[in-house]
């Protein structure tokens, strides 16, 4: 039996980069995931792991539109090992292929043009009927 599933919660290290691969959009995403721990001597430490993530299709387009460098993101995906020949030397790179994600927090409004963000819905207080509130 095999199981290949990765869950990560971290911050983007750069803006999402997209490109076309045939008729599909591909996004390259960099994420930093921190780990805090205490040594046996009582010293607090922190280590950072940098992970490359690849997203395809509509998910790639949505991420490119709504998140950028520094934004937190929760992703679920699978590990993928890419291999290629570089002048006679075999190179390898492990990455995560995104399968689903969730936005964390409200984002930073100043980072993306206003036209790319979802508009906030507001209802004037005078338009609310107290009898229609379900609680």
């Amino acid at each position: 039996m095999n199981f290949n599933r990765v869950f990560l919660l971290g911050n983007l290290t750069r803006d999402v980069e997209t490109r076309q691969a045939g008729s599909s959009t591909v996004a390259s995403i960099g994420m930093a995931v921190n780990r805090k721990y205490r040594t046996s001597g009582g010293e607090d430490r922190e280590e950072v792991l940098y992970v490359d993530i690849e997203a395809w299709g509509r998910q790639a387009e949505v991420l490119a539109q709504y998140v950028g460098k520094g934004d937190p993101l929760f992703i679920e995906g699978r590990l993928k090992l890419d291999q290629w020949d570089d002048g006679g030397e075999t190179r390898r790179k492990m990455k995560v292929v995104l399968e689903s994600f969730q936005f964390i927090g409200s984002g930073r409004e100043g980072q993306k043009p206003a036209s790319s963000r979802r508009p906030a819905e507001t209802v004037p207080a005078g338009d609310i009927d107290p009898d229609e509130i379900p609680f």
Side-chain angles (χ1 to χ4, degrees):
M1 179 183 290
N2 297 301
F3 187 73
N4 182 359
R5 182 71 57 209
V6 175
F7 299 92
L8 297 172
L9 174 61
N11 293 335
L12 301 189
T13 59
R14 61 182 184 268
D15 287 336
V16 178
E17 301 167 6
T18 60
R19 67 183 193 285
Q20 288 301 121
S23 62
S24 187
T25 302
V26 182
S28 296
I29 303 162
M31 180 180 278
V33 181
N34 297 343
R35 174 180 172 247
K36 294 182 182 182
Y37 63 97
R38 180 166 291 164
T39 66
S40 60
E43 183 182 352
D44 289 332
R45 294 256 176 106
E46 182 175 0
E47 65 182 24
V48 181
L49 176 66
Y50 296 99
V51 182
D52 288 321
I53 301 164
E54 181 177 86
W56 289 81
R58 182 69 181 133
Q59 290 181 326
E61 295 167 5
V62 170
L63 288 169
Q65 184 176 4
Y66 291 106
V67 294
K69 183 177 179 177
D71 287 339
L73 190 66
F74 176 77
I75 68 119
E76 179 180 351
R78 60 185 166 80
L79 292 175
K80 177 183 176 189
L81 180 65
D82 285 341
Q83 297 185 119
W84 67 96
D85 185 53
D86 186 18
E89 182 180 347
T90 300
R91 306 284 304 223
R92 295 175 180 89
K93 184 171 187 169
M94 184 77 67
K95 68 171 87 171
V96 174
V97 177
L98 183 136
E99 293 182 356
S100 66
F101 67 90
Q102 291 181 10
F103 296 114
I104 304 296
S106 60
R108 295 174 293 152
E109 286 299 323
Q111 291 300 102
K112 295 280 183 176
S115 62
S116 70
R117 296 269 183 185
R118 288 177 274 205
E121 293 183 34
T122 58
V123 178
D127 293 347
I128 298 174
D129 182 356
D131 293 332
E132 292 181 16
I133 299 175
F135 48 88

